[in-house]
Amino acid sequence: QVQLVESGGGLVQPGGSLRLSCATSGFRFDYYGIGWFRQVPGKKREGVSSINLSDGATYYTDSVKGRFSISGDTAKNTVYLQMNSLKPEDTGVYYCAADPEYYGLGFEPYDYWGQGTQVTVSS
């Protein structure tokens, strides 16, 4: 049974940093794509970053390039999203998602989702 559990969210001031974790189980970790998405009320879920765990290729939406970094730890079956220089517009619920055949920033192809973790950037 595929499970994804996010953690690491919280309240941070603008310019601060957070590291989100997506702990996974129930599938062959290095065969999958993992994406991070965020959602605010009234808006569509937005792809923030993703990683193809089979070759390490990473992808970022333009608004987070140079500030966010995604990585995978095969020993822990965990994907991290390091978020630096956070801005108020980064606020939202962050979800990780997994799929055996897709690793892009679109949310529809992903088969498996975590429950989300809240990130609030505010002074």
Side-chain angles (χ1 to χ4, degrees):
Q1 180 182 359
V2 174
Q3 287 191 320
L4 306 170
V5 180
E6 302 97 334
S7 62
L11 173 64
V12 64
Q13 292 187 340
S17 298
L18 283 174
R19 188 177 78 158
L20 305 183
S21 299
C22 175
T24 76
S25 61
F27 62 91
R28 176 70 185 265
F29 184 74
D30 56 355
Y31 280 8
Y32 271 58
I34 302 287
W36 280 100
F37 297 81
R38 64 186 174 202
Q39 189 164 26
V40 296
K43 290 192 174 181
K44 193 173 74 170
R45 195 165 292 190
E46 175 191 20
V48 174
S49 181
S50 62
I51 184 168
N52 179 358
L53 291 168
S54 66
D55 65 8
T58 58
Y59 307 87
Y60 300 91
T61 193
D62 285 347
S63 64
V64 308
K65 286 179 180 176
R67 300 189 297 123
F68 290 13
S69 177
I70 190 171
S71 62
D73 184 336
T74 55
K76 297 182 178 180
N77 287 351
T78 299
V79 171
Y80 302 100
L81 184 67
Q82 178 67 43
M83 306 188 295
N84 299 325
S85 302
L86 282 161
K87 304 176 180 180
E89 51 264 43
D90 295 319
T91 294
V93 179
Y94 281 69
Y95 299 89
C96 65
D99 195 88
E101 297 180 340
Y102 181 74
Y103 44 84
L105 295 178
F107 69 89
E108 291 177 348
Y110 284 93
D111 282 342
Y112 305 102
W113 291 84
Q115 82 290 347
T117 185
Q118 176 72 44
V119 171
T120 303
V121 185
S122 175
S123 55

